[in-house]
Amino acid sequence: MGNRFQVKERFAEGAQYIDGRLRPGTSGRSHTVVDPATGADVLTYELAGPADVDEAVAAAKRAFPAWSAATPGERSDALHRLAAVLAEQADDFAYAESLQCGKPIKLSTEFDVPGTIDNTAFFAGAARHLQGQAAGEYSGDHTSYVRREAIGVVGSIAPWNYPLQMAAWKILPAIAAGNTIVLKPAELTPLTSLMFAQAAKEAGLPDGVINIVTGAGRDAGEHLVGHPDVVMTSFTGSTAVGKRVAEIATATVKRLHLELGGKAPFLVFDDADLEAAAHGAVAASLINTGQDCTAATRAYVQRPLHDAFVARVAELMDTVRLGDPFAPDTDLGPLVSHAQRDRVAGFVERARAYATVVTGGETPSGDLADGAYYRPTLISGAPQDSGVVQSEIFGPVLVVLPFDTDDEGIALANDTPYGLAASAWSRDVYRAGRATRELKAGCVWVNDHIPIISEMPHGGYKASGFGKDMSAYSFEEYTQVKHVMYDNTAVAAKDWHRTIFGDR
């Protein structure tokens, strides 16, 4: 991993990044970042309170006029420089992400960090392509065109499961469009969000464009969302908290973007490649120890393949290697905290009353006993209305259910409040095509599950929220569309005036 920086030294000045510098929070309360693999303390810092949020918003508000007035080319150049800085510091980012989250280092180095660098490079290019409808004489007497303008200070809240990527997903489209931002990362995992803001300063972005406040949701988060100078809120997290965010944001008529929970179906038709589906299910259910809103959680398998699918998935799950996140051969790290581990275990223990735990369903002993580890778990025989089928577990747990007809399979897949992601597995192009049309989710994969790319949007249906991250579609969230209309006639008494006063 190269030279790993010392976290306590790196953040000795505090874990708030406001107007271009680190500083301590002023809430009067502290929080400790814990390595979930060992239970060891990583960093204790002072949490942000409302006064810190006020200062961060004020800094963003001061920075907005100049940043929004910068040319698209100037903002693009700054983001290209940021991508270069991130690439130079990739090892440090991967180390910090694995340390605070417990991610296997191969996931941080091959997914989280390069994905964030790619996102940054994408938005560096997209900053120069804020498009609107072509200018034209649509009324006959006027020329119309569309402007896309920055909206102001954005107040965003990111979750703990992908701290670096989620920070980038919030920050990049906002600042590429000319806005400034105050981001509140989860207090469990603030390190890489702070590092991202520091990298932006190294890349030459002006102070105040990116600000990070690390505090509790009820104090810093709610104050940020309700702040009168914040014109937009973007939130990623649970649906329950998203409802609270929406209540606060709508009270002040803010623009709102919500990326909420998921319970992604994995729909396997009887003509699917069984081996591909089984491998795909294991990877898609265990990515990030299952702490992924798009992870495969409900596998619906047509009855002729069901038993063979269960047997093969169980066999593959048993080969997954739990261990030290920094060991190169570790496949599965701990959950983010012992509390989250216990929550996941609670779902599985309750399911034993009505379903079969085929494999897993336990915490490991020995060298891993002090960490927040949980074995890959496969459950079969659960009813459609049961907790493990309907609720977001957010852990390394896959539930398999059978279906008979295609109609039934699609109906079962859609039978959930969520609609973030789904996949369909079939060799029949027409069968797969039907699934892509009828599955109610913001992303539908065919014969794969999980890959994302910067050029394509990410966002959900139903209780999974609304609005898009990544891609040029994200600019719909972060820009104001203005119609400009010029009269071309130079006629004082226009014909349409006579509908209001006078005669023709």
Side-chain angles (χ1 to χ4, degrees):
M1 287 302 299
N3 294 320
R4 298 175 178 176
F5 65 88
Q6 298 298 310
V7 173
K8 293 177 181 178
E9 294 176 2
R10 178 72 173 261
F11 300 109
E13 296 176 9
Q16 317 301 326
Y17 189 84
I18 298 173
D19 206 15
R21 67 180 184 89
L22 289 171
R23 41 157 286 183
T26 62
S27 70
R29 295 185 296 114
S30 63
H31 182 83
T32 299
V33 177
V34 174
D35 176 357
T38 64
D41 292 352
V42 173
L43 175 71
T44 299
Y45 66 92
E46 299 299 316
L47 288 163
D52 304 298
V53 173
D54 289 344
E55 289 192 30
V57 172
K61 187 176 180 180
R62 288 192 301 271
F64 175 73
W67 182 247
S68 61
T71 66
E74 290 168 337
R75 292 198 293 270
S76 175
D77 288 347
L79 290 177
H80 277 300
R81 293 193 302 270
L82 174 56
V85 173
L86 295 174
E88 290 170 1
Q89 299 177 8
D91 282 355
D92 282 352
F93 274 97
Y95 168 69
E97 195 77 338
S98 289
L99 182 65
Q100 66 183 351
C101 300
K103 295 174 188 282
I105 195 64
K106 65 179 181 179
L107 182 65
S108 294
T109 56
E110 297 180 33
F111 182 74
D112 296 75
V113 174
T116 300
I117 295 168
D118 187 72
N119 282 175
T120 307
F122 170 80
F123 279 107
R128 304 184 85 140
H129 296 282
L130 291 171
Q131 297 175 344
Q133 191 168 359
E137 287 67 53
Y138 298 98
S139 77
D141 291 337
H142 306 82
T143 295
S144 289
Y145 68 89
V146 168
R147 290 176 55 89
R148 279 193 181 273
E149 297 180 348
I151 57 176
V153 177
V154 177
S156 294
I157 300 176
W160 48 256
N161 57 333
Y162 289 102
L164 176 60
Q165 290 207 77
M166 294 297 99
W169 286 15
K170 302 300 182 193
I171 292 169
L172 292 169
I175 66 173
N179 303 292
T180 56
I181 188 167
V182 179
L183 174 77
K184 192 198 88 65
E187 56 267 42
L188 287 175
T189 55
L191 304 182
T192 47
S193 298
L194 293 163
M195 292 167 63
F196 189 92
Q198 291 176 309
K201 184 179 179 71
E202 290 183 44
L205 273 77
D207 292 346
V209 171
I210 301 172
N211 305 274
I212 310 294
V213 290
T214 305
R218 291 186 181 275
D219 298 331
E222 293 196 2
H223 190 67
L224 177 62
V225 174
H227 199 289
D229 289 333
V230 170
V231 299
M232 174 190 165
T233 291
S234 177
F235 170 81
T236 295
S238 71
T239 297
V241 178
K243 291 177 181 179
R244 175 60 178 158
V245 169
E247 290 174 0
I248 298 170
T250 53
T252 50
V253 200
K254 289 181 180 8
R255 186 176 293 200
L256 185 61
H257 167 217
L258 297 175
E259 198 265 270
L260 306 176
K263 191 70 177 174
F266 189 98
L267 185 61
V268 183
F269 294 102
D270 58 12
D271 67 333
D273 182 325
L274 176 61
E275 194 69 7
H279 277 81
V282 172
S285 62
L286 300 185
I287 184 172
N288 203 35
T289 318
Q291 299 166 124
D292 186 313
C293 294
T294 63
T297 59
R298 301 176 293 136
Y300 295 97
V301 184
Q302 208 150 23
R303 206 170 294 274
L305 287 185
H306 177 269
D307 291 352
F309 178 88
V310 170
R312 185 59 175 139
V313 169
E315 184 178 41
L316 290 172
M317 279 189 170
D318 287 342
T319 70
V320 172
R321 298 163 296 187
L322 280 69
D324 176 4
F326 292 103
D329 60 350
T330 291
D331 297 321
L332 196 75
L335 288 110
V336 74
S337 68
H338 288 77
Q340 180 65 15
R341 190 270 314 274
D342 293 345
R343 179 180 181 275
V344 170
F347 272 103
V348 176
E349 290 309 306
R350 291 189 294 273
R352 293 184 191 277
Y354 54 78
T356 299
V357 178
V358 179
T359 190
E362 61 184 9
T363 58
S365 57
D367 292 342
L368 303 181
D370 291 337
Y373 289 90
Y374 198 76
R375 293 199 182 280
T377 301
L378 181 66
I379 296 174
S380 67
Q384 175 67 11
D385 62 354
S386 61
V388 290
V389 176
Q390 292 295 327
S391 300
E392 189 173 30
I393 299 173
F394 229 54
V397 179
L398 177 65
V399 184
V400 185
L401 300 90
F403 69 92
D404 291 303
T405 67
D406 290 15
D407 288 350
E408 181 190 13
I410 291 172
L412 288 169
N414 285 330
D415 181 26
T416 175
Y418 301 107
L420 187 59
S423 64
W425 297 74
S426 173
R427 291 183 173 99
D428 186 327
V429 66
Y430 299 104
R431 209 175 200 181
R434 178 193 176 189
T436 64
R437 293 190 299 274
E438 297 186 14
L439 288 171
K440 303 303 181 187
C443 176
V444 179
W445 293 280
V446 176
N447 295 326
D448 209 344
H449 191 119
I450 283 298
I452 54 176
I453 49 175
S454 298
E455 291 83 358
M456 288 292 128
H458 178 86
Y461 285 28
K462 303 189 291 185
S464 291
F466 47 81
K468 300 299 179 185
D469 288 310
M470 298 198 299
S471 82
Y473 290 98
S474 64
F475 287 131
E476 300 299 324
E477 319 302 324
Y478 295 99
T479 58
Q480 185 68 262
V481 174
K482 178 187 288 185
H483 170 216
V484 178
M485 195 176 203
Y486 282 90
D487 170 59
N488 292 331
T489 67
V491 173
K494 294 177 172 59
D495 186 59
W496 74 267
H497 293 175
R498 307 311 168 205
T499 63
I500 312 302
F501 71 99
D503 300 321
R504 293 187 184 277

